[in-house]
Amino acid sequence: MNLKQLQYFLAVAEEGQMTAAAKRLHVAQPPLSYQIKQLELELGVTLFNRLPQGVTVTEAGKLLVGYAQQLTQLSATAENKVRALAHGVTGTINLGTVSSSAGVKPNTALLKWLGQHIPMFSLRLRKAIRMSC
């Protein structure tokens, strides 16, 4: 089983048709069908019920969908993080607060944006202590 087969499998499962999945993946239908068949042979299960109007996912296929999604997402995350590291897009953001802002959290939209654009960043919150002289 390889990543390409899992990506192909997910496309077919989501589209419900080999033709639509092949079009989405920008591949011809015969190589797509071949890869799906090879995956089924390797796993020893039928992943799709082939019908005249398309395909439906079997119970084994339904089980594989969740794992395939996790694996393809993990692969994409690994690729993004390694590329970010190679391009120096990493670091720590230090955010200082004062005691009067206790309980105030960073803006979630900002944190989401940072996570998407700077995948390998860390946020360090520091609370200043007011000292009397």
Side-chain angles (χ1 to χ4, degrees):
M1 177 178 357
N2 62 51
L3 193 57
K4 181 193 284 187
Q5 288 174 327
L6 292 176
Q7 290 167 334
Y8 283 10
F9 164 75
L10 286 173
V12 173
E14 291 166 5
E15 295 292 337
Q17 290 185 330
M18 292 281 185
T19 304
K23 185 175 181 178
R24 176 174 134 188
L25 294 165
H26 305 288
V27 298
Q29 187 177 341
L32 172 62
S33 297
Y34 175 79
Q35 289 297 324
I36 296 298
K37 194 65 178 165
Q38 289 303 113
L39 181 59
E40 289 177 323
L41 288 171
E42 185 176 335
L43 294 174
V45 297
T46 300
L47 298 170
F48 296 103
N49 296 310
R50 287 149 175 89
L51 308 168
Q53 64 275 15
V55 297
T56 60
V57 183
T58 64
E59 287 302 312
K62 289 176 185 174
L63 179 63
L64 183 58
V65 164
Y67 291 113
Q69 288 171 335
Q70 290 176 8
L71 289 166
T72 56
Q73 289 169 357
L74 184 60
S75 172
T77 299
E79 181 180 344
N80 290 338
K81 288 191 176 202
V82 168
R83 287 177 194 250
L85 181 64
H87 292 96
V89 185
T90 63
T92 301
I93 297 173
N94 292 301
L95 181 61
T97 64
V98 293
S99 59
S100 63
S101 66
V104 176
K105 297 179 183 173
N107 181 301
T108 54
L110 173 63
L111 292 177
K112 184 177 179 180
W113 184 90
L114 288 169
Q116 291 172 340
H117 292 86
I118 309 172
M120 294 185 65
F121 89 99
S122 61
L123 179 64
R124 185 177 305 145
L125 294 174
R126 295 181 183 231
K127 182 177 161 185
I129 300 173
R130 182 178 174 167
M131 298 183 69
S132 301
C133 293

